[in-house]
Amino acid sequence: MAVHGVGLLTRLPLCVQRRSRVQRPILRLFSCPGTVAADPRREEQPSGSAETGSEDKTPKKRFSEVQKERREQAQRTVLIHCPNKISEKKFLKYLSQHGPINNHFFYESYGLYAVVEFCQKESVDSLQNGTHTPSMSTEAVIPFRSRYFNLKLKNPSNQASEQSCIQCSNQLPPSSKKVFELLRCAESIDDQLNSLLKEFQLTEENTKLRYLTCSLVEDIAAAYFPDCTVRPFGSSVNTFGKLGCDLDMFLDLDEIGKLSAVKTAGNFLMEFQVKNVPSERIATQKILSVIGECLDHFGPGCVGVQKILNARCPLVRFSHQASGFQCDLTTNNRIALKSSELLYIYGALDSRVRALVFSVRCWARAHSLTSSIPGAWITNFSLTMIVIFFLQRRSPPILPTLDSLKNLAELLLKEFFEYFGNFAFNKNSINIRQGKEQNKPDSSPLYIQNPFETSLNISKNVSQSQLQKFVDLARESAWILQQEGKDRPSASSNQPWGLAALLLPSIANGMALAKKKGKKPANETVKNLLESLKSNSAENSTNTNRKRTTSP
Ligand code: CTP
Ligand code: MG
């Protein structure tokens, strides 16, 4: 990501910007159809720019616009399993028989795959018409006309010699080694935060593959519900997704209702004959149950299908082998789509939001505060809300002097850890809707109000011990950042520093060791230190209304 003039975190405090340029994007980014023209340059822009808002100067699109465009793109796209030795030129020429190709890319995931986007939807029909169902000598096949194909060479021995070197797009997150190397070579913590964001954020290709996977699942679900839509939500679309994150999608049956609601003339009203069930939940369970069966039996590449129908939010979980995505399919989850839109808007307001969220997410993952397995731990969604809340609670706007601009770069991360190292989780809840702490309505250790279903706690699953681990690590990390000062070690030293030091497991080990040896835990020291920091920051700030309370 290019940083214009001053560093990502060294620009004006969030609130200063909110007044001037930020309010306009908010209005523009909310979904109200038909007010903003599409940006014709979008096609060429990688993810992390127009859509994600990581470049301030790029026009940002409304969430609904992005969804609509991506969905339409996906409908013109096919997924092809290719032989390992293939000439790209011949491959494209062969497919062009069915119509012009808009773009394509290759990737590897237990074999070579191509994602090909045609200019017109008709080309997909033409390709399907020219495709045959394989016949197996020993096994039977279930004929299903999908958009996931298998390409074979007619004459493998001739064509292997003509292979050209195929460039594959990367779909995996960077290795820890690469991350530490990048962080070590960075110029400043600001630079480190940017590097992390750049390495982990979803690429244009990965985003396309996500929408395509939803579109392929939609084709299967359409066998039962012809006018249904399968929409991605969560980190795949809210601009906070890391490469390798799961693919959350929901079956949207609302459109079916809308289609049938066309007003007709005359004295009568026509309704569909339908089956009734006692509750919405039971309807959801029944629908997901049959879609789960469909995916399991007929869905090419859908494996490990689990129907988790007794969960609070019933779902079907499966792996989409070709894309490598772990998918969670729910139904009519429009509220979650709203949360995704809200996060998309927050992410687009200021590029620092995403940089901070990515770093905090990586920090939490490095210390097993979050996990890919469901359990009592803090989820990435809760973490993101925590960061947003912190940014809402920052000191009111002050216009920084040139000297203080550099300090601001280090400040956001350090203050984030200080803030939550000292947050009164025992009595206060986090409220994004109002941007303030409120008394907790129940005794859940961590209470983050769902902004759209305000009686729900999005972090109800989090146990006291997991919360305490988060608090301890936050304090320890604030302490490390404070100790390190602002200077990075010399380039010749191999020492991890700044954010890299925070991602090392040794912070957690240090805490455990101190406890074992009966030493005064470092966070006691940290607490005292935080107290002194508090008074310092109070002096530095023009307004000191940031509340600090004792920890639980
Ligand atoms: N969600 C919610 N309430 C919860 C949990 C989840 O509304 N208690 C919604 C949010 O919109 C969230 C989405 O479901 O973004 C998907 O949840 P999850 O996969 O847990 O989080 P992600 O944001 O997708 O993050 P990750 O990268 O960890 O998958
Ligand atoms: Mg997710």
Side-chain angles (χ1 to χ4, degrees), residues 189 410 479-488 497-498:
I189 292 189
E410 340 279 324
W479 183 72
I480 288 174
L481 287 177
Q482 177 64 22
Q483 291 300 298
E484 283 206 340
K486 289 157 204 116
D487 298 327
R488 52 164 298 187
W497 62 278

Side-chain angles (χ1 to χ4, degrees), residues 453-484:
E453 286 174 296
T454 51
S455 62
L456 295 183
N457 171 12
I458 69 154
S459 47
K460 199 178 161 116
N461 65 313
V462 176
S463 63
Q464 181 59 45
S465 62
Q466 284 297 321
L467 176 67
Q468 193 56 49
K469 191 176 164 196
F470 172 79
V471 171
D472 289 347
L473 275 162
R475 288 180 182 178
E476 207 78 17
S477 300
W479 183 72
I480 288 174
L481 287 177
Q482 177 64 22
Q483 291 300 298
E484 283 206 340

Side-chain angles (χ1 to χ4, degrees), residues 233-238 240-242 244-248 312 328 333 335-341 343 361 370-372 379-382 384 448 450-453 456-461:
F233 68 99
S235 60
S236 298
V237 298
N238 64 19
F240 292 96
K242 271 174 34 184
C245 68
D246 69 355
L247 172 55
D248 304 291
R312 188 186 70 82
D328 277 352
N333 211 344
I335 294 281
L337 193 65
K338 275 279 155 219
S339 304
S340 306
E341 180 171 5
L343 293 193
R361 278 188 175 200
T370 51
S371 165
S372 51
T379 63
N380 277 328
F381 179 53
S382 298
T384 310
I448 305 174
N450 183 316
F452 295 104
E453 286 174 296
L456 295 183
N457 171 12
I458 69 154
S459 47
K460 199 178 161 116
N461 65 313

